[in-house]
Structures are given as C-alpha cells and as structure tokens.
Amino acid sequence: MVRWEELQFADLRPSTQTRYRTSLRQLHPYFAGRDISLITSRDVHEFVAARRRTKTSGATIRRDLMVMGRIMRVARRAGWITANPVPDEMEEIKERREPIRPVALRDLARLTRRAPPGMRDMIRFLARTGCRQEEAASLSWEQLDLKAPCPTVTFARTKTRSPRVLRLSPRLARELQRSRPENAIGYVFRNPSGQRYTNVPGRFRVLLASAIPDKARHFRCHDLRHTYAIRALQRGTSIYDVSQQLGHSSVKTTEIYAAWLSRRIR
C-alpha cells in the first residue's frame, strides 16, 4: 500500500483519489493484516461473493477489484508476489451498461427553469458540449477562449489524462460572455455561496425530483452527455469529431451512439 501510494496514488486527480479510498475501505475488512504473498485468487473470489451477497453492483465490485489489482501489480513488480490474483476474477464480472436515453427538450427546459443560476448554466453547458460532469464543475474562466473566431474550452486534465480542446457553438459562447463578470477569474459555475459545485450527480437528482415529479421521466446527469452525442450525430457531425469532443480514447467507444441511432431508424 505504501509503495503504491509512493509510485502512483499522489499523481491521481483528487476525485479519483476519493473514489479509490472508498474502494480501499471496502477491501480493508477482507484483506487487512494478511500476508500479501498468501492472498490467492480464491480469496479474491470470496471477496466478490461476499460483496454480491450485499447486492453490490458489478460495476462497483469491478472498481474495487481494479484498485486491488493495481496494488497487487506494484507488489509483483517489487518481487513480493509472483502473480496478480485479481485479473481473472474481474473478467468474470460483467458490468451492466446503462441504456442510452437522450433527454427530451421539454424535460430539460423544465429542469433548467427550476435550477439556481449557476446550476442552470452548468446543465446547459453539459448538454451542449458533451463534457464530463467534473470537467464542467471545475471549469475556470481561464480555460475559455470566447472571443476567438471559433470559441473553445481547453481541458488540461481529463479522465483519459490527455488534454483536449472542445469547440463551443457561437450561441453558447455569447451566453457565457454575457454571464461573465468583469475581470472574472476562478470557477465559471458557482453555487449560491459563490463556491464551485460538488457532488453534481446528487444535487442533480434532488433538483430533478422537485422539477419533474413524474419518476418515469427522470434521467441522470450523465444522460446529458449521451444527449449531446446523439444530437450531434443526427446533425451530421462525423463520429470522429463527436469522439474527439467527448474525449473518448477510441472511436469504438463512440460507436455505441451510432448503433443506437441505427436501431431507432429500423
């Protein structure tokens, strides 16, 4: 654990560190105090079975195993173990992918009408750019180039660790420019206390429940990203440009949206 922290943990984004600590807390009761060289694939399997009995989702278990696997990988490179017992178990766990559900424009309008100004603007930004929630929540004015012929936003730190530049529509750029305070610095989207938003998915769920009582019409904040991708493809944007905008490491990830559209056309 100490060696892993020295080599890798400190370089992770704060949000990733928080997520990994959650996994470490889940692993602790099962593996704390154990001789690492004596932990076998059977022990990992028993951990998975125990987590399954608590109705934990496959996606969550996979994240826990990913953290354990990285620690074991460091241990193997250090010569403390000869094999990593985690990967085989991960292959057996199928992660259920949430269905793609583009958000209806009327539902999005109902939501933004009820949202406080900062949250309202962030929701619109997410729907119009397809960026990730944390990218929008941590966005600062310094990242925006609104007066260029082609307005852009630059994300230096991303989920894939590769910087990327997103194109902004002229309409979105104008709206951001109008809302920008004079000599503005710091975060673009602020809560009523003037701070950046945290726990965006949780705040989004609370807002949605108050704005749209009909649970059948509820959607996730992440669905705004899906909505951008589907609408961009419908407008004729190439799948490669959509992939670049979303920050996918491979265009194959973006192909799920093209497949969704083809099924709808049939």
Side-chain angles (χ1 to χ4, degrees):
M1 285 283 296
V2 172
R3 179 64 57 86
W4 175 62
E5 183 175 14
E6 291 172 346
L7 295 177
Q8 298 179 5
F9 191 80
D11 294 332
L12 299 173
R13 293 179 302 165
S15 59
T16 305
Q17 290 182 2
T18 299
R19 179 63 193 87
Y20 281 15
R21 288 192 184 98
T22 300
S23 288
L24 292 172
R25 284 193 291 271
Q26 297 300 330
L27 293 163
H28 185 85
Y30 299 91
F31 299 105
R34 301 276 297 276
D35 184 329
I36 197 168
S37 66
L38 300 180
I39 295 176
T40 66
S41 58
R42 178 178 178 177
D43 296 317
V44 179
H45 177 76
E46 291 298 331
F47 166 76
V48 172
R51 295 283 276 152
R52 285 292 197 186
R53 285 193 288 271
T54 63
K55 307 300 182 183
T56 304
S57 70
T60 299
I61 296 173
R62 281 182 64 89
R63 285 194 288 269
D64 296 343
L65 290 180
M66 180 188 68
V67 174
M68 183 178 183
R70 293 187 176 187
I71 294 170
M72 289 293 193
R73 194 164 59 199
V74 169
R76 183 173 57 79
R77 290 203 302 267
W80 301 331
I81 59 175
T82 58
N84 188 336
V86 176
D88 289 344
E89 192 66 30
M90 284 189 67
E91 290 180 3
E92 296 298 319
I93 301 175
K94 303 302 181 184
E95 185 170 352
R96 184 175 68 89
R97 183 182 291 274
E98 292 289 341
I100 295 174
R101 296 184 303 171
V103 179
L105 288 176
R106 64 180 180 276
D107 291 336
L108 185 58
R110 290 171 65 186
L111 181 66
T112 53
R113 281 197 297 269
R114 291 291 297 272
M119 191 70 171
R120 176 199 63 209
D121 294 343
M122 182 164 62
I123 290 171
R124 288 174 175 168
F125 187 85
L126 288 166
R128 293 176 184 175
T129 64
C131 73
R132 298 180 175 92
Q133 297 164 33
E134 179 59 23
E135 291 172 339
S138 61
L139 181 67
S140 66
W141 289 109
E142 292 81 1
Q143 294 171 248
L144 293 165
D145 186 357
L146 301 177
K147 295 183 178 180
C150 296
T152 61
V153 55
T154 301
F155 294 112
R157 301 188 67 183
T158 65
K159 181 179 179 181
T160 60
R161 295 179 177 268
S162 299
R164 80 181 192 281
V165 177
L166 273 65
R167 296 185 299 275
L168 303 178
S169 69
R171 176 186 175 188
L172 178 56
R174 288 194 299 270
E175 291 178 0
L176 288 167
Q177 188 65 48
R178 284 198 298 268
S179 67
R180 182 174 188 170
E182 188 176 355
N183 300 320
I185 58 174
Y187 297 114
V188 175
F189 307 115
R190 299 171 183 262
N191 62 28
S193 299
Q195 305 299 314
R196 62 152 282 178
Y197 281 96
T198 58
N199 187 22
V200 174
R203 292 175 181 270
F204 187 90
R205 286 192 296 270
V206 172
L207 173 62
L208 185 67
S210 64
I212 306 178
D214 182 3
K215 290 186 177 181
R217 304 201 66 82
H218 282 190
F219 49 91
R220 302 167 304 155
C221 188
H222 189 72
D223 289 327
L224 299 176
R225 182 168 163 87
H226 294 326
T227 302
Y228 165 82
I230 292 296
R231 289 178 180 162
L233 290 173
Q234 288 175 325
R235 291 194 300 267
T237 306
S238 80
I239 194 170
Y240 298 100
D241 287 341
V242 174
S243 183
Q244 171 70 23
Q245 186 85 354
L246 295 175
H248 287 161
S249 57
S250 169
V251 72
K252 289 187 176 297
T253 306
T254 321
E255 287 174 355
I256 62 171
Y257 301 111
W260 185 89
L261 278 172
S262 67
R263 289 194 296 270
R264 299 278 293 186
I265 293 172
R266 291 179 195 152

